[in-house]
Structures are given as structure tokens and as C-alpha cells.
């Protein structure tokens, strides 16, 4: 049976509060009593709860991370980046998801009230942003990872979505493509607007119009990307390239083109966005704009841990660069 703090207090003939003060190095306990408590601790083999000791010192040595869903394909990369830094600093990590909407957030805010963690890392907070902003105003240290273009006045780590879209456009133009089609993601996401703006801007500079009928509504999923391109093909829309605003929609595009008997890249070149592992598992391998997802997680974790050690956080985002990765679906 595990020895408890009550067992120590009883054997040393002191209160549990006194034992706690000795464990946490408080100087309110006289030398003789403190030595007696330490002797009992050693004799009984008592091992204090690290969480309890840290809470008494004002720290849980734990961070929380809030994610929209574990099914989002790039969440694991950001999580791994966070975990690598957090664990190296001797901290624990509590994982929360927003799968159940308001019920999830109620459970999460209860943990905030219980001081179960010292700070928060929130990946793509989406609809939870108002609640997160309230917690920030109440004093909870936090860093947002990829706010999807919402741009709150909170410490955050972002990536160059506009420049990524521009790089995709330049690459297609340089390879001789002049009739591009775009497969969007959810229009409410700022990253979708930014990627489209960057792509459209480079085309305009080169005198190439992005025709409205070649801007397809879709979601950030493989089936929705495939369905959008299938509809465009069935309606006879003509294009020589596709920029899909995430890799899953790009892979759906590849499937739709193959089913229609079109060759990639001979007939149609395809560029995605993210550089997920599936980008190299498809045939042909996918040219895509790489988001530094692992690095974003690492950077956010370092920022938050630095803040807890005394380095101030600022509301200006830390922005990491995207990178075009050229593969067979849209060669140079």
C-alpha cells in the first residue's frame, strides 16, 4: 500500500500542513521538527506527488494543448514538435480536443480553474477562439499555433500562406501552364483566402486571369476535392493545371483526373499545400507547398516555456516560411 502524506504526519506527530511545508522547503517549520519529518519520510519510504509539490510552489510543470481533432492529418506533426520540446524541458503535457463543442470547452475551462497546467498551446482554435481570448484576458499564458488567418491579438506561430500560394503560381507559370484551376478549402479560413490571394496575385502580374468558373468550392478532404474536380470535368471546363489548397484535396484531384483518363503531369499539372506524408505515397508523387508543421509546434512550445521562465510574449506572430517541394505531379 502506498504511503501517504497523512501517514507521514501521523508518524511524525505533526499536521499534514507541516509535512507539506517541509517538502516544499518552507522556513516556517523549526529545525528540530523539520528534521524529524525528514527522518520519518526516509523511514517510511514516502514519495511525494510531483504534481502536488509543484502546485504548492505555484507551478504544475505541465502544459496543456488544445487541438480541433486528432483526425486532422497534420495535427500529429505539430503535436510531435510540441512534445519534443516540452519533454526535453521536464514538463508534462495534457491533451484536450474540441470534438464535443461546448461540452469539450466546459471540461477544458474546468481544468484551467483547477490550475492543472501552467500554460496553453492551442492548435487551430477555430470556433473556440472567443473562449480562448477570454482565458488570455484572465491571465492564462498561451501561444496559438496556426490561427488559420484569424489574427487575434495573441502570441502565435503562423506560416507564410500568401507567399506559399504565390510560389505555387510562379512554378506553374514557369512550367508553361496558363489555364490554372484552384480547388479551395473552407472559405471562412483565413489561410484559404491568403493562399488564393497569393496565387491570384502572381497570375495577375503575369497577365494571366484566374477565371471564376475555375475556382472550385471544396473542403480540406480527399472526397470533396475529388468531387469538385469531377464536377468541373463533367461540365467541360478546360484547364491545364490545378492548385489544390491542401494535400488531401490535391490527392482527390489526382483520382478525379485519372478516372477521366487524363495524365498527370502531361495533360494537367497538380500542386498541393502542406507536404503531408501522403504527398510521397501517391503516384505521381505530389508537388506541394510545405508547411513547417513540426517546427511550428517546436517554436510555440519554446515561446511558452520561455515566457514561464520570464521572457515576455508579444502579440505579433512568429511567422515561419513555407517552401515549394517539386515532385512528379508538377515538375519544373
Amino acid at each position: 500500500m502506498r504511503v501517504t502524506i497523512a501517514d507521514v504526519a501521523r508518524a511524525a506527530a505533526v499536521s499534514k500542513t507541516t509535512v507539506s511545508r517541509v517538502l516544499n522547503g518552507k522556513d516556517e517549520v523549526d529545525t528540530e521538527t523539520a528534521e524529524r519529518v525528514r527522518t520519518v519520510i526516509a523511514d517510511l519510504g514516502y514519495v511525494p506527488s510531483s504534481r502536488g509539490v509543484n502546485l504548492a510552489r505555484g507551478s504544475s510543470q505541465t502544459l496543456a494543448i488544445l487541438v480541433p481533432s486528432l483526425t486532422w492529418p497534420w495535427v500529429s506533426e505539430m503535436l510531435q514538435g510540441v512534445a519534443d520540446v516540452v519533454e526535453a524541458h521536464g514538463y508534462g503535457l495534457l491533451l484536450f480536443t474540441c470534438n464535443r463543442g461546448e461540452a469539450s470547452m466546459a471540461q477544458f475551462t474546468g481544468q484551467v480553474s483547477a490550475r492543472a497546467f501552467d500554460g496553453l498551446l492551442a492548435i487551430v482554435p477555430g470556433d473556440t477562439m472567443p473562449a480562448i481570448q477570454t482565458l488570455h484576458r484572465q491571465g492564462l499564458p498561451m501561444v496559438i499555433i496556426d490561427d488559420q488567418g484569424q489574427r487575434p491579438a495573441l502570441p502565435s506561430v503562423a506560416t507564410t500562406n500568401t507567399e506559399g500560394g504565390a510560389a505555387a503560381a510562379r512554378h506553374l507559370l514557369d512550367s508553361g501552364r496558363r489555364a490554372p484551376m484552384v480547388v479551395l478549402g473552407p472559405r471562412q479560413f483565413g489561410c484559404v483566402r491568403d493562399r488564393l490571394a497569393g496565387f491570384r496575385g502572381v497570375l495577375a502580374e503575369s497577365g494571366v486571369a484566374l477565371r471564376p468558373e475555375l475556382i472550385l468550392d471544396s473542403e480540406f478532404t480527399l472526397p470533396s476535392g475529388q468531387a469538385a474536380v469531377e464536377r468541373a470535368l463533367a461540365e467541360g471546363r478546360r484547364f491545364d493545371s490545378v492548385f489544390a489548397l491542401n494535400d488531401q484535396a490535391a490527392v482527390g484531384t489526382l483520382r478525379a483526373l485519372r478516372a477521366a483518363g487524363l495524365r498527370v503531369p502531361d495533360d494537367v499539372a497538380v500542386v498541393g499545400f502542406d507536404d503531408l506524408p501522403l504527398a510521397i505515397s501517391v503516384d505521381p508523387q505530389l508537388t506541394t507547398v510545405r508547411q513547417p508543421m513540426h517546427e511550428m509546434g517546436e517554436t510555440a512550445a519554446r515561446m511558452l516555456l520561455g515566457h514561464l521562465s520570464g521572457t515576455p510574449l508579444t502579440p505579433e506572430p512568429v511567422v515561419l516560411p513555407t517552401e515549394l517541394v517539386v515532385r512528379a505531379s508538377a515538375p519544373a
Side-chain angles (χ1 to χ4, degrees), residues 98-124:
C98 306
N99 290 331
R100 296 181 295 121
E102 291 183 3
S104 294
M105 286 306 295
Q107 181 178 6
F108 170 71
T109 53
Q111 294 297 310
V112 177
S113 300
R115 297 175 62 205
F117 49 84
D118 300 328
L120 169 67
L121 297 160
I123 296 179
V124 190

Side-chain angles (χ1 to χ4, degrees), residues 183-194:
V183 181
L184 298 176
R187 287 180 181 261
Q188 70 270 25
F189 286 176
C191 66
V192 170
R193 297 190 293 271
D194 291 345

Side-chain angles (χ1 to χ4, degrees), residues 2-3 68 70 80 89 104 123-124 147 156 168 194 196 221 261 268 281 292 300 326:
R2 180 177 177 178
V3 177
L70 294 176
Q80 190 60 59
H89 284 76
S104 294
I123 296 179
V124 190
D147 62 19
S156 63
D194 291 345
L196 178 60
T221 66
V268 180
S281 67
V326 178

Side-chain angles (χ1 to χ4, degrees), residues 213-234:
E213 68 271 18
L214 294 183
I215 303 175
L216 309 184
D217 283 315
S218 179
E219 299 296 324
F220 277 161
T221 66
L222 190 156
S224 64
Q226 181 174 351
V229 176
E230 286 175 343
R231 286 192 298 270
L233 289 168

